[in-house]
Amino acid sequence: MASPYLNAPLTPVRPRMYASSLAKVAWTLVPIVTLGLAAAVPVVVAAVKGVVKPWLAGAYIVGEVAVFSAVMAISPDADDTNPVPGFLLVLLIITAATHTALLDNERISVGK
């Protein structure tokens, strides 16, 4: 009888974030559809699944809170015409969507 350890890979396989292309698109849309309010959610889910390290999810949470705090501090009124808060939110949304799409990329090793 053959041992199961003989056919096992030498290094454990890293868990995958996405089961299909549709799941990848759906998760990438999360930061966009929520206008950045759930920018950290895909990274937190990836940390729970073991795809990325927990410190990366924590950094994303801190970053999201920092961006929203800065936006509220810069422009607390709804009728303010300052473009900086909008720019910061768009930057957060683009960054979060890009990083979410790259969670399963094998070439990127930061936080994995």
Side-chain angles (χ1 to χ4, degrees), residues 48-68:
V48 170
K49 286 184 171 185
V51 177
V52 297
K53 303 254 191 261
W55 67 262
L56 187 63
Y60 239 91
I61 292 168
V62 169
E64 182 179 346
V65 169
V67 167
F68 275 100

Side-chain angles (χ1 to χ4, degrees), residues 30-88:
V30 167
I32 298 168
V33 171
T34 62
L35 299 176
L37 288 173
V41 171
V43 182
V44 171
V45 170
V48 170
K49 286 184 171 185
V51 177
V52 297
K53 303 254 191 261
W55 67 262
L56 187 63
Y60 239 91
I61 292 168
V62 169
E64 182 179 346
V65 169
V67 167
F68 275 100
S69 298
V71 164
M72 291 300 171
I74 293 170
S75 180
D77 297 328
D79 12 328
D80 195 358
T81 58
N82 189 350
V84 174
F87 174 74
L88 288 175

Side-chain angles (χ1 to χ4, degrees), residues 12-24:
V13 178
R14 188 174 59 82
R16 307 294 293 172
M17 174 68 181
Y18 311 114
S20 66
S21 295
L22 181 62
K24 182 176 185 175

